[in-house]
Amino acid sequence: MYEPNVVGDWQEYGEHAGLRVRVHRLETAEPPRGRDDAAVGLTYFSVRVTIENRGTRPCSVQLEDGQIDVRVGADGEGAFIDWRNSQFIEGFDVYPLRRATAVVHAAAAEDALTHVDVQVHLRVDDEWTDRRLWAGGIGLTETAQVAAAAACGPDSLAHQLTAYLEERTEPGTA
């Protein structure tokens, strides 16, 4: 079964040796050039997509509007993507041991931001890669995280891991 990446995870691209991508720094943030009129009443957030070349040769990468899709909420509604404020990667050569980062500014209803899915369809050396998905959320409280862990059940790996870590945590530490 295909499972999405968690926001912050690196994803290797097997067809392009040494190339990997990460969606990270999902956070509420005001756009640098001001809010778009179409986003009235919505909460702005940003997400970064970093491409890293750990291979031996340069790769020409392209990550522009239309190659990043952001969905929010339990029903996967499309977020408003502020193309004017976003920064994309347009035909950039990423040399070995170098990175390039795109910053996407989007907006959605605040209560939908606990579920954010980001899909990336990267173009490398004029070839399309497979689409990859990252899942995360903004503003999850500790209570919500505990409730999600409890919903997994006492026999789940997540529950066992949480119990293991709690046993080994010193009293008074977070």
Side-chain angles (χ1 to χ4, degrees), residues 116-165:
V116 179
D117 295 329
V118 180
Q119 183 173 271
V120 175
H121 193 193
L122 186 63
R123 189 172 173 130
V124 180
D125 295 330
D126 295 324
E127 295 178 14
W128 291 101
T129 63
D130 292 336
R131 296 176 198 273
R132 302 294 165 94
L133 180 69
W134 281 261
I138 299 174
L140 290 178
T141 63
E142 186 175 329
T143 306
Q145 292 175 16
V146 170
C152 293
D155 295 329
S156 72
L157 180 60
H159 186 18
Q160 292 173 13
L161 182 59
T162 301
Y164 173 81
L165 293 173

mmCIF file of all heavy atoms in Angstrom, residues 116-165:
data_model
loop_
_atom_site.group_PDB
_atom_site.id
_atom_site.type_symbol
_atom_site.label_atom_id
_atom_site.label_comp_id
_atom_site.label_asym_id
_atom_site.label_seq_id
_atom_site.Cartn_x
_atom_site.Cartn_y
_atom_site.Cartn_z
ATOM 1 N N VAL A 116 -3.214 18.915 6.343
ATOM 2 C CA VAL A 116 -2.665 19.547 5.144
ATOM 3 C C VAL A 116 -1.898 18.485 4.352
ATOM 4 O O VAL A 116 -1.028 17.811 4.893
ATOM 5 C CB VAL A 116 -1.719 20.722 5.494
ATOM 6 C CG1 VAL A 116 -1.136 21.338 4.237
ATOM 7 C CG2 VAL A 116 -2.450 21.777 6.311
ATOM 8 N N ASP A 117 -2.266 18.331 3.089
ATOM 9 C CA ASP A 117 -1.579 17.409 2.189
ATOM 10 C C ASP A 117 -0.938 18.226 1.071
ATOM 11 O O ASP A 117 -1.582 19.086 0.480
ATOM 12 C CB ASP A 117 -2.551 16.403 1.572
ATOM 13 C CG ASP A 117 -3.159 15.476 2.610
ATOM 14 O OD1 ASP A 117 -2.482 15.180 3.609
ATOM 15 O OD2 ASP A 117 -4.311 15.045 2.412
ATOM 16 N N VAL A 118 0.318 17.936 0.791
ATOM 17 C CA VAL A 118 1.058 18.636 -0.261
ATOM 18 C C VAL A 118 1.554 17.592 -1.255
ATOM 19 O O VAL A 118 2.279 16.671 -0.874
ATOM 20 C CB VAL A 118 2.252 19.431 0.314
ATOM 21 C CG1 VAL A 118 3.008 20.144 -0.797
ATOM 22 C CG2 VAL A 118 1.780 20.416 1.374
ATOM 23 N N GLN A 119 1.132 17.738 -2.509
ATOM 24 C CA GLN A 119 1.574 16.826 -3.563
ATOM 25 C C GLN A 119 2.542 17.552 -4.482
ATOM 26 O O GLN A 119 2.272 18.678 -4.905
ATOM 27 C CB GLN A 119 0.380 16.323 -4.360
ATOM 28 C CG GLN A 119 0.755 15.319 -5.426
ATOM 29 C CD GLN A 119 -0.467 14.720 -6.067
ATOM 30 O OE1 GLN A 119 -0.977 13.727 -5.597
ATOM 31 N NE2 GLN A 119 -0.931 15.343 -7.133
ATOM 32 N N VAL A 120 3.661 16.912 -4.789
ATOM 33 C CA VAL A 120 4.714 17.510 -5.609
ATOM 34 C C VAL A 120 4.912 16.649 -6.853
ATOM 35 O O VAL A 120 5.037 15.428 -6.754
ATOM 36 C CB VAL A 120 6.036 17.609 -4.810
ATOM 37 C CG1 VAL A 120 7.163 18.123 -5.680
ATOM 38 C CG2 VAL A 120 5.849 18.489 -3.584
ATOM 39 N N HIS A 121 4.934 17.311 -8.012
ATOM 40 C CA HIS A 121 5.187 16.644 -9.289
ATOM 41 C C HIS A 121 6.392 17.335 -9.922
ATOM 42 O O HIS A 121 6.258 18.300 -10.668
ATOM 43 C CB HIS A 121 3.954 16.733 -10.178
ATOM 44 C CG HIS A 121 4.013 15.824 -11.355
ATOM 45 N ND1 HIS A 121 3.151 15.943 -12.398
ATOM 46 C CD2 HIS A 121 4.812 14.776 -11.672
ATOM 47 C CE1 HIS A 121 3.409 15.016 -13.302
ATOM 48 N NE2 HIS A 121 4.420 14.297 -12.878
ATOM 49 N N LEU A 122 7.550 16.834 -9.626
ATOM 50 C CA LEU A 122 8.813 17.450 -9.996
ATOM 51 C C LEU A 122 9.205 17.101 -11.431
ATOM 52 O O LEU A 122 8.933 16.007 -11.918
ATOM 53 C CB LEU A 122 9.891 16.945 -9.033
ATOM 54 C CG LEU A 122 11.281 17.519 -9.105
ATOM 55 C CD1 LEU A 122 11.274 19.004 -8.790
ATOM 56 C CD2 LEU A 122 12.179 16.785 -8.118
ATOM 57 N N ARG A 123 9.860 18.047 -12.086
ATOM 58 C CA ARG A 123 10.416 17.811 -13.421
ATOM 59 C C ARG A 123 11.937 17.914 -13.313
ATOM 60 O O ARG A 123 12.460 18.937 -12.864
ATOM 61 C CB ARG A 123 9.870 18.828 -14.407
ATOM 62 C CG ARG A 123 10.221 18.509 -15.823
ATOM 63 C CD ARG A 123 9.488 19.444 -16.762
ATOM 64 N NE ARG A 123 9.997 19.205 -18.094
ATOM 65 C CZ ARG A 123 9.225 18.992 -19.137
ATOM 66 N NH1 ARG A 123 7.923 19.025 -19.003
ATOM 67 N NH2 ARG A 123 9.750 18.775 -20.315
ATOM 68 N N VAL A 124 12.638 16.831 -13.709
ATOM 69 C CA VAL A 124 14.089 16.759 -13.604
ATOM 70 C C VAL A 124 14.662 16.421 -14.972
ATOM 71 O O VAL A 124 14.289 15.411 -15.570
ATOM 72 C CB VAL A 124 14.525 15.685 -12.580
ATOM 73 C CG1 VAL A 124 16.039 15.624 -12.475
ATOM 74 C CG2 VAL A 124 13.908 15.942 -11.230
ATOM 75 N N ASP A 125 15.578 17.255 -15.449
ATOM 76 C CA ASP A 125 16.219 17.037 -16.757
ATOM 77 C C ASP A 125 15.181 16.756 -17.847
ATOM 78 O O ASP A 125 15.305 15.806 -18.615
ATOM 79 C CB ASP A 125 17.241 15.894 -16.679
ATOM 80 C CG ASP A 125 18.411 16.220 -15.761
ATOM 81 O OD1 ASP A 125 18.752 17.416 -15.644
ATOM 82 O OD2 ASP A 125 18.978 15.297 -15.174
ATOM 83 N N ASP A 126 14.137 17.569 -17.887
ATOM 84 C CA ASP A 126 13.056 17.480 -18.868
ATOM 85 C C ASP A 126 12.259 16.185 -18.806
ATOM 86 O O ASP A 126 11.597 15.799 -19.768
ATOM 87 C CB ASP A 126 13.579 17.696 -20.299
ATOM 88 C CG ASP A 126 14.102 19.108 -20.480
ATOM 89 O OD1 ASP A 126 13.509 20.040 -19.897
ATOM 90 O OD2 ASP A 126 15.111 19.282 -21.195
ATOM 91 N N GLU A 127 12.312 15.469 -17.684
ATOM 92 C CA GLU A 127 11.514 14.268 -17.465
ATOM 93 C C GLU A 127 10.663 14.466 -16.216
ATOM 94 O O GLU A 127 11.132 14.990 -15.214
ATOM 95 C CB GLU A 127 12.415 13.046 -17.249
ATOM 96 C CG GLU A 127 13.251 12.651 -18.424
ATOM 97 C CD GLU A 127 14.154 11.462 -18.096
ATOM 98 O OE1 GLU A 127 13.930 10.798 -17.069
ATOM 99 O OE2 GLU A 127 15.087 11.221 -18.869
ATOM 100 N N TRP A 128 9.414 14.017 -16.280
ATOM 101 C CA TRP A 128 8.527 14.110 -15.133
ATOM 102 C C TRP A 128 8.794 12.947 -14.183
ATOM 103 O O TRP A 128 8.959 11.808 -14.601
ATOM 104 C CB TRP A 128 7.066 14.080 -15.564
ATOM 105 C CG TRP A 128 6.666 15.310 -16.298
ATOM 106 C CD1 TRP A 128 6.534 15.449 -17.648
ATOM 107 C CD2 TRP A 128 6.375 16.580 -15.735
ATOM 108 N NE1 TRP A 128 6.168 16.737 -17.954
ATOM 109 C CE2 TRP A 128 6.054 17.454 -16.805
ATOM 110 C CE3 TRP A 128 6.348 17.077 -14.442
ATOM 111 C CZ2 TRP A 128 5.717 18.780 -16.607
ATOM 112 C CZ3 TRP A 128 6.011 18.400 -14.244
ATOM 113 C CH2 TRP A 128 5.697 19.231 -15.320
ATOM 114 N N THR A 129 8.846 13.234 -12.896
ATOM 115 C CA THR A 129 8.973 12.189 -11.883
ATOM 116 C C THR A 129 7.570 11.757 -11.470
ATOM 117 O O THR A 129 6.575 12.367 -11.865
ATOM 118 C CB THR A 129 9.723 12.708 -10.644
ATOM 119 O OG1 THR A 129 8.959 13.768 -10.056
ATOM 120 C CG2 THR A 129 11.113 13.192 -11.001
ATOM 121 N N ASP A 130 7.498 10.712 -10.654
ATOM 122 C CA ASP A 130 6.212 10.308 -10.079
ATOM 123 C C ASP A 130 5.771 11.368 -9.084
ATOM 124 O O ASP A 130 6.587 12.033 -8.447
ATOM 125 C CB ASP A 130 6.348 8.967 -9.351
ATOM 126 C CG ASP A 130 6.612 7.812 -10.304
ATOM 127 O OD1 ASP A 130 6.249 7.919 -11.494
ATOM 128 O OD2 ASP A 130 7.190 6.811 -9.842
ATOM 129 N N ARG A 131 4.467 11.507 -8.925
ATOM 130 C CA ARG A 131 3.935 12.430 -7.919
ATOM 131 C C ARG A 131 4.200 11.845 -6.533
ATOM 132 O O ARG A 131 4.057 10.654 -6.327
ATOM 133 C CB ARG A 131 2.438 12.623 -8.107
ATOM 134 C CG ARG A 131 2.076 13.272 -9.395
ATOM 135 C CD ARG A 131 0.545 13.327 -9.529
ATOM 136 N NE ARG A 131 0.146 13.560 -10.891
ATOM 137 C CZ ARG A 131 0.010 14.752 -11.439
ATOM 138 N NH1 ARG A 131 0.242 15.816 -10.726
ATOM 139 N NH2 ARG A 131 -0.347 14.877 -12.684
ATOM 140 N N ARG A 132 4.554 12.713 -5.601
ATOM 141 C CA ARG A 132 4.793 12.290 -4.217
ATOM 142 C C ARG A 132 3.942 13.152 -3.296
ATOM 143 O O ARG A 132 3.710 14.325 -3.559
ATOM 144 C CB ARG A 132 6.264 12.444 -3.839
ATOM 145 C CG ARG A 132 7.214 11.670 -4.739
ATOM 146 C CD ARG A 132 7.020 10.156 -4.589
ATOM 147 N NE ARG A 132 7.641 9.411 -5.657
ATOM 148 C CZ ARG A 132 8.848 8.891 -5.611
ATOM 149 N NH1 ARG A 132 9.595 9.045 -4.545
ATOM 150 N NH2 ARG A 132 9.313 8.217 -6.630
ATOM 151 N N LEU A 133 3.495 12.562 -2.188
ATOM 152 C CA LEU A 133 2.583 13.235 -1.270
ATOM 153 C C LEU A 133 3.189 13.303 0.120
ATOM 154 O O LEU A 133 3.775 12.340 0.599
ATOM 155 C CB LEU A 133 1.256 12.469 -1.219
ATOM 156 C CG LEU A 133 0.181 13.033 -0.307
ATOM 157 C CD1 LEU A 133 -0.355 14.340 -0.858
ATOM 158 C CD2 LEU A 133 -0.948 12.030 -0.143
ATOM 159 N N TRP A 134 3.028 14.468 0.760
ATOM 160 C CA TRP A 134 3.414 14.667 2.149
ATOM 161 C C TRP A 134 2.164 15.072 2.917
ATOM 162 O O TRP A 134 1.353 15.862 2.431
ATOM 163 C CB TRP A 134 4.462 15.770 2.273
ATOM 164 C CG TRP A 134 5.839 15.327 1.931
ATOM 165 C CD1 TRP A 134 6.823 14.960 2.804
ATOM 166 C CD2 TRP A 134 6.411 15.217 0.622
ATOM 167 N NE1 TRP A 134 7.961 14.626 2.105
ATOM 168 C CE2 TRP A 134 7.737 14.768 0.770
ATOM 169 C CE3 TRP A 134 5.931 15.439 -0.674
ATOM 170 C CZ2 TRP A 134 8.581 14.545 -0.306
ATOM 171 C CZ3 TRP A 134 6.770 15.224 -1.746
ATOM 172 C CH2 TRP A 134 8.079 14.776 -1.563
ATOM 173 N N ALA A 135 2.012 14.553 4.134
ATOM 174 C CA ALA A 135 0.857 14.867 4.969
ATOM 175 C C ALA A 135 1.328 15.465 6.292
ATOM 176 O O ALA A 135 2.344 15.047 6.842
ATOM 177 C CB ALA A 135 0.033 13.608 5.230
ATOM 178 N N GLY A 136 0.582 16.448 6.774
ATOM 179 C CA GLY A 136 0.915 17.087 8.039
ATOM 180 C C GLY A 136 -0.244 17.938 8.506
ATOM 181 O O GLY A 136 -1.382 17.772 8.054
ATOM 182 N N GLY A 137 0.031 18.860 9.394
ATOM 183 C CA GLY A 137 -1.007 19.739 9.906
ATOM 184 C C GLY A 137 -0.402 20.884 10.691
ATOM 185 O O GLY A 137 0.754 20.846 11.095
ATOM 186 N N ILE A 138 -1.222 21.891 10.909
ATOM 187 C CA ILE A 138 -0.806 23.074 11.659
ATOM 188 C C ILE A 138 -1.731 23.215 12.858
ATOM 189 O O ILE A 138 -2.944 23.062 12.739
ATOM 190 C CB ILE A 138 -0.909 24.355 10.800
ATOM 191 C CG1 ILE A 138 0.013 24.249 9.590
ATOM 192 C CG2 ILE A 138 -0.581 25.598 11.626
ATOM 193 C CD1 ILE A 138 -0.138 25.398 8.617
ATOM 194 N N GLY A 139 -1.145 23.522 14.009
ATOM 195 C CA GLY A 139 -1.949 23.845 15.176
ATOM 196 C C GLY A 139 -2.529 22.658 15.912
ATOM 197 O O GLY A 139 -3.510 22.790 16.625
ATOM 198 N N LEU A 140 -1.931 21.477 15.757
ATOM 199 C CA LEU A 140 -2.417 20.332 16.517
ATOM 200 C C LEU A 140 -2.022 20.519 17.978
ATOM 201 O O LEU A 140 -0.850 20.693 18.292
ATOM 202 C CB LEU A 140 -1.814 19.033 15.992
ATOM 203 C CG LEU A 140 -2.294 18.572 14.632
ATOM 204 C CD1 LEU A 140 -1.560 17.300 14.228
ATOM 205 C CD2 LEU A 140 -3.783 18.332 14.645
ATOM 206 N N THR A 141 -2.987 20.492 18.846
ATOM 207 C CA THR A 141 -2.699 20.634 20.266
ATOM 208 C C THR A 141 -2.239 19.293 20.821
ATOM 209 O O THR A 141 -2.418 18.249 20.200
ATOM 210 C CB THR A 141 -3.953 21.083 21.033
ATOM 211 O OG1 THR A 141 -4.943 20.056 20.915
ATOM 212 C CG2 THR A 141 -4.480 22.401 20.495
ATOM 213 N N GLU A 142 -1.648 19.313 21.989
ATOM 214 C CA GLU A 142 -1.203 18.074 22.625
ATOM 215 C C GLU A 142 -2.392 17.151 22.863
ATOM 216 O O GLU A 142 -2.294 15.940 22.715
ATOM 217 C CB GLU A 142 -0.492 18.386 23.940
ATOM 218 C CG GLU A 142 0.132 17.157 24.574
ATOM 219 C CD GLU A 142 0.940 17.499 25.817
ATOM 220 O OE1 GLU A 142 1.502 18.595 25.883
ATOM 221 O OE2 GLU A 142 0.994 16.645 26.709
ATOM 222 N N THR A 143 -3.555 17.700 23.218
ATOM 223 C CA THR A 143 -4.754 16.898 23.441
ATOM 224 C C THR A 143 -5.155 16.169 22.169
ATOM 225 O O THR A 143 -5.504 14.993 22.198
ATOM 226 C CB THR A 143 -5.914 17.799 23.915
ATOM 227 O OG1 THR A 143 -5.480 18.528 25.055
ATOM 228 C CG2 THR A 143 -7.139 16.991 24.233
ATOM 229 N N ALA A 144 -5.087 16.862 21.025
ATOM 230 C CA ALA A 144 -5.451 16.245 19.747
ATOM 231 C C ALA A 144 -4.472 15.139 19.385
ATOM 232 O O ALA A 144 -4.868 14.103 18.860
ATOM 233 C CB ALA A 144 -5.499 17.293 18.646
ATOM 234 N N GLN A 145 -3.191 15.330 19.682
ATOM 235 C CA GLN A 145 -2.201 14.305 19.385
ATOM 236 C C GLN A 145 -2.419 13.071 20.251
ATOM 237 O O GLN A 145 -2.306 11.944 19.777
ATOM 238 C CB GLN A 145 -0.795 14.862 19.594
ATOM 239 C CG GLN A 145 -0.424 15.921 18.588
ATOM 240 C CD GLN A 145 0.925 16.549 18.879
ATOM 241 O OE1 GLN A 145 1.724 16.016 19.637
ATOM 242 N NE2 GLN A 145 1.179 17.687 18.262
ATOM 243 N N VAL A 146 -2.744 13.261 21.525
ATOM 244 C CA VAL A 146 -3.021 12.144 22.416
ATOM 245 C C VAL A 146 -4.270 11.403 21.954
ATOM 246 O O VAL A 146 -4.313 10.174 21.939
ATOM 247 C CB VAL A 146 -3.160 12.625 23.883
ATOM 248 C CG1 VAL A 146 -3.689 11.532 24.767
ATOM 249 C CG2 VAL A 146 -1.830 13.144 24.378
ATOM 250 N N ALA A 147 -5.288 12.158 21.537
ATOM 251 C CA ALA A 147 -6.524 11.524 21.051
ATOM 252 C C ALA A 147 -6.258 10.714 19.790
ATOM 253 O O ALA A 147 -6.788 9.616 19.625
ATOM 254 C CB ALA A 147 -7.585 12.589 20.778
ATOM 255 N N ALA A 148 -5.423 11.221 18.912
ATOM 256 C CA ALA A 148 -5.080 10.492 17.688
ATOM 257 C C ALA A 148 -4.314 9.218 18.022
ATOM 258 O O ALA A 148 -4.562 8.167 17.427
ATOM 259 C CB ALA A 148 -4.269 11.380 16.761
ATOM 260 N N ALA A 149 -3.408 9.289 18.981
ATOM 261 C CA ALA A 149 -2.655 8.102 19.381
ATOM 262 C C ALA A 149 -3.573 7.071 20.034
ATOM 263 O O ALA A 149 -3.446 5.873 19.791
ATOM 264 C CB ALA A 149 -1.531 8.483 20.338
ATOM 265 N N ALA A 150 -4.519 7.539 20.849
ATOM 266 C CA ALA A 150 -5.457 6.627 21.502
ATOM 267 C C ALA A 150 -6.368 5.946 20.482
ATOM 268 O O ALA A 150 -6.757 4.796 20.650
ATOM 269 C CB ALA A 150 -6.293 7.383 22.535
ATOM 270 N N ALA A 151 -6.688 6.652 19.405
ATOM 271 C CA ALA A 151 -7.550 6.084 18.369
ATOM 272 C C ALA A 151 -6.868 4.938 17.637
ATOM 273 O O ALA A 151 -7.525 4.109 17.017
ATOM 274 C CB ALA A 151 -7.966 7.164 17.384
ATOM 275 N N CYS A 152 -5.557 4.867 17.708
ATOM 276 C CA CYS A 152 -4.814 3.783 17.053
ATOM 277 C C CYS A 152 -5.017 2.453 17.764
ATOM 278 O O CYS A 152 -4.812 1.406 17.183
ATOM 279 C CB CYS A 152 -3.324 4.108 17.013
ATOM 280 S SG CYS A 152 -2.929 5.504 15.962
ATOM 281 N N GLY A 153 -5.389 2.498 19.038
ATOM 282 C CA GLY A 153 -5.602 1.259 19.787
ATOM 283 C C GLY A 153 -4.378 0.869 20.588
ATOM 284 O O GLY A 153 -3.252 1.212 20.242
ATOM 285 N N PRO A 154 -4.585 0.111 21.663
ATOM 286 C CA PRO A 154 -3.480 -0.240 22.554
ATOM 287 C C PRO A 154 -2.476 -1.205 21.943
ATOM 288 O O PRO A 154 -1.358 -1.305 22.408
ATOM 289 C CB PRO A 154 -4.186 -0.868 23.764
ATOM 290 C CG PRO A 154 -5.499 -1.340 23.235
ATOM 291 C CD PRO A 154 -5.865 -0.398 22.133
ATOM 292 N N ASP A 155 -2.843 -1.928 20.898
ATOM 293 C CA ASP A 155 -1.934 -2.886 20.284
ATOM 294 C C ASP A 155 -1.196 -2.317 19.076
ATOM 295 O O ASP A 155 -0.402 -3.017 18.456
ATOM 296 C CB ASP A 155 -2.699 -4.151 19.859
ATOM 297 C CG ASP A 155 -3.259 -4.882 21.064
ATOM 298 O OD1 ASP A 155 -2.634 -4.819 22.146
ATOM 299 O OD2 ASP A 155 -4.328 -5.502 20.933
ATOM 300 N N SER A 156 -1.454 -1.056 18.741
ATOM 301 C CA SER A 156 -0.820 -0.477 17.559
ATOM 302 C C SER A 156 0.637 -0.129 17.853
ATOM 303 O O SER A 156 1.040 0.072 18.998
ATOM 304 C CB SER A 156 -1.559 0.779 17.107
ATOM 305 O OG SER A 156 -1.323 1.828 18.020
ATOM 306 N N LEU A 157 1.432 -0.061 16.792
ATOM 307 C CA LEU A 157 2.839 0.296 16.922
ATOM 308 C C LEU A 157 2.992 1.714 17.484
ATOM 309 O O LEU A 157 3.861 1.966 18.317
ATOM 310 C CB LEU A 157 3.538 0.187 15.570
ATOM 311 C CG LEU A 157 5.020 0.540 15.558
ATOM 312 C CD1 LEU A 157 5.798 -0.373 16.501
ATOM 313 C CD2 LEU A 157 5.565 0.457 14.154
ATOM 314 N N ALA A 158 2.117 2.636 17.048
ATOM 315 C CA ALA A 158 2.193 4.016 17.541
ATOM 316 C C ALA A 158 1.985 4.060 19.053
ATOM 317 O O ALA A 158 2.692 4.775 19.766
ATOM 318 C CB ALA A 158 1.159 4.883 16.837
ATOM 319 N N HIS A 159 1.016 3.291 19.542
ATOM 320 C CA HIS A 159 0.739 3.273 20.976
ATOM 321 C C HIS A 159 1.914 2.651 21.741
ATOM 322 O O HIS A 159 2.322 3.138 22.792
ATOM 323 C CB HIS A 159 -0.542 2.512 21.238
ATOM 324 C CG HIS A 159 -1.004 2.554 22.672
ATOM 325 N ND1 HIS A 159 -0.554 3.483 23.579
ATOM 326 C CD2 HIS A 159 -1.870 1.783 23.356
ATOM 327 C CE1 HIS A 159 -1.133 3.278 24.753
ATOM 328 N NE2 HIS A 159 -1.924 2.247 24.641
ATOM 329 N N GLN A 160 2.473 1.558 21.220
ATOM 330 C CA GLN A 160 3.601 0.907 21.872
ATOM 331 C C GLN A 160 4.823 1.821 21.912
ATOM 332 O O GLN A 160 5.526 1.879 22.919
ATOM 333 C CB GLN A 160 3.945 -0.392 21.148
ATOM 334 C CG GLN A 160 2.872 -1.452 21.295
ATOM 335 C CD GLN A 160 3.160 -2.664 20.429
ATOM 336 O OE1 GLN A 160 4.255 -2.829 19.913
ATOM 337 N NE2 GLN A 160 2.158 -3.520 20.277
ATOM 338 N N LEU A 161 5.064 2.544 20.824
ATOM 339 C CA LEU A 161 6.199 3.461 20.765
ATOM 340 C C LEU A 161 6.024 4.608 21.760
ATOM 341 O O LEU A 161 6.957 4.978 22.473
ATOM 342 C CB LEU A 161 6.369 4.016 19.358
ATOM 343 C CG LEU A 161 7.534 4.952 19.138
ATOM 344 C CD1 LEU A 161 8.853 4.267 19.473
ATOM 345 C CD2 LEU A 161 7.556 5.459 17.724
ATOM 346 N N THR A 162 4.805 5.158 21.825
ATOM 347 C CA THR A 162 4.529 6.231 22.782
ATOM 348 C C THR A 162 4.750 5.750 24.212
ATOM 349 O O THR A 162 5.378 6.443 25.017
ATOM 350 C CB THR A 162 3.084 6.743 22.604
ATOM 351 O OG1 THR A 162 2.928 7.205 21.278
ATOM 352 C CG2 THR A 162 2.763 7.856 23.586
ATOM 353 N N ALA A 163 4.268 4.571 24.536
ATOM 354 C CA ALA A 163 4.450 4.019 25.884
ATOM 355 C C ALA A 163 5.930 3.802 26.184
ATOM 356 O O ALA A 163 6.406 4.105 27.291
ATOM 357 C CB ALA A 163 3.682 2.712 26.015
ATOM 358 N N TYR A 164 6.672 3.284 25.219
ATOM 359 C CA TYR A 164 8.103 3.051 25.389
ATOM 360 C C TYR A 164 8.833 4.360 25.694
ATOM 361 O O TYR A 164 9.652 4.439 26.600
ATOM 362 C CB TYR A 164 8.674 2.400 24.124
ATOM 363 C CG TYR A 164 10.174 2.262 24.118
ATOM 364 C CD1 TYR A 164 10.795 1.208 24.793
ATOM 365 C CD2 TYR A 164 10.967 3.176 23.449
ATOM 366 C CE1 TYR A 164 12.179 1.089 24.789
ATOM 367 C CE2 TYR A 164 12.352 3.058 23.438
ATOM 368 C CZ TYR A 164 12.946 2.013 24.115
ATOM 369 O OH TYR A 164 14.309 1.893 24.117
ATOM 370 N N LEU A 165 8.546 5.397 24.911
ATOM 371 C CA LEU A 165 9.212 6.682 25.121
ATOM 372 C C LEU A 165 8.822 7.321 26.449
ATOM 373 O O LEU A 165 9.660 7.938 27.117
ATOM 374 C CB LEU A 165 8.910 7.628 23.956
ATOM 375 C CG LEU A 165 9.517 7.207 22.613
ATOM 376 C CD1 LEU A 165 9.011 8.117 21.509
ATOM 377 C CD2 LEU A 165 11.025 7.219 22.684
#
